[in-house]
Amino acid sequence: LVRNAIAACLDLAEENVGTLMPGYTHLQRAQPVTLAHHILAWCVALERDAGRFADAAVRADESPLGAGALAGSGLSVDRERTAGLIGFARVSANTMDAVAARDAAIEYAAAAATLMAHLSRACEDIVLWASSEYGFVRLSPQASTGSSIMPQKRNPDPAELIRGKTGRGFGNLQALLTMEKGTPYAYNRDLQEDKALFFEIEDVANAALETFAVLVKSIEPDVARMRAALDEGFLEATDVA
């Protein structure tokens, strides 16, 4: 899903290599850039997110089977063999840690939270660009909604919903960290709370990525409006100097 989101951004960037616009710092017009350059900033952030998920997956790829309640099993279990049969890369090194640790869930949640932060920032760009004040882009009806009392107005609802759902991802990460921090080794009933938190984070991240790809594909740049925004504010002054 992250790769699909990147692909949608790359398609839009490729179509706008020559589309000029102002870059911003402090939300003030700064130096001239291209729309492609701006969108590629989203891409490299998403690429790092894909790397975080991959790194977390490597650490999570171990089998706890044979750990029992905490001290192993009295049965003659070949842990290496069962791990291989199930498809794990290795066995957990310590049975108490295998029972007590929720690192895999926390790492996934942290990667998802960072991803959501990046999606939210990109959505904030889109919300600003689609506003009357900027007017840099239009959103097709596929990714915008008519106002409830002003149907002539198109609202960037998908972008706002992704931005809003980001808080759920942040909150669940914090809940996972808080749940684990005070539990002595090994198992405590508190740890069952990880399931609902983890699955909700996964659902939110997946839905946000799918929605973001559709949102990006719906962007219709107003090339003339972007170019006109370069005509005021002496944006070329740095290059002249």
Side-chain angles (χ1 to χ4, degrees):
L1 290 173
V2 175
R3 286 195 293 268
N4 289 343
I6 292 172
C9 292
L10 289 175
D11 287 343
L12 182 61
E14 190 172 30
E15 296 167 2
N16 290 278
V17 171
T19 301
L20 299 175
M21 66 176 295
Y24 289 80
T25 60
H26 309 280
L27 211 55
Q28 305 293 323
R29 291 176 189 172
Q31 292 176 278
V33 295
T34 63
L35 178 58
H37 192 57
H38 192 124
I39 292 169
L40 289 174
W42 304 347
C43 290
V44 293
L46 291 172
E47 192 173 34
R48 288 195 300 273
D49 292 323
R52 289 186 185 92
F53 284 115
D55 291 344
V58 171
R59 280 183 289 278
D61 191 9
E62 60 181 40
S63 171
L65 189 64
L70 81 161
S73 173
L75 300 175
S76 180
V77 177
D78 185 338
R79 297 190 67 211
E80 297 283 353
R81 173 168 165 73
T82 55
L85 289 172
I86 296 171
F88 282 106
R90 60 191 177 280
V91 299
S92 55
N94 181 283
T95 59
M96 288 181 66
D97 177 72
V99 171
R102 292 298 181 270
D103 289 15
I106 289 170
E107 280 202 82
Y108 180 90
T114 308
L115 164 73
M116 291 298 296
H118 291 148
L119 293 180
S120 183
R121 293 186 75 182
C123 286
E124 177 66 8
D125 284 339
I126 294 169
V127 169
L128 289 172
W129 292 349
S131 69
S132 302
E133 284 68 24
Y134 280 71
F136 286 176
V137 304
R138 290 177 295 274
L139 298 177
S140 72
Q142 188 179 21
S144 59
T145 309
S147 168
S148 57
I149 62 170
M150 302 175 70
Q152 78 281 8
K153 182 162 67 76
R154 304 297 304 182
N155 296 327
D157 288 350
E160 294 172 357
L161 289 168
I162 291 172
R163 199 174 56 185
K165 287 289 186 181
T166 299
R168 301 293 289 274
F170 290 0
N172 282 12
L173 169 60
Q174 185 62 45
L176 281 168
L177 290 166
T178 303
M179 173 203 71
E180 187 180 49
K181 76 168 183 64
T183 53
Y185 281 86
Y187 182 72
N188 300 272
R189 183 63 72 182
D190 317 42
L191 297 175
Q192 73 177 18
E193 293 296 313
D194 68 335
K195 311 301 184 297
L197 295 168
F198 180 93
F199 294 140
E200 184 179 28
I201 290 169
E202 185 179 33
D203 289 344
V204 166
N206 288 350
L209 283 166
E210 291 175 349
T211 303
F212 183 72
V214 174
L215 177 62
V216 170
K217 291 175 183 177
S218 78
I219 292 175
E220 301 169 359
D222 188 328
V223 177
R225 183 75 175 254
M226 288 184 174
R227 176 63 184 81
L230 296 172
D231 292 338
E232 296 180 3
F234 304 103
L235 305 191
E236 72 285 358
T238 300
D239 298 287
V240 172

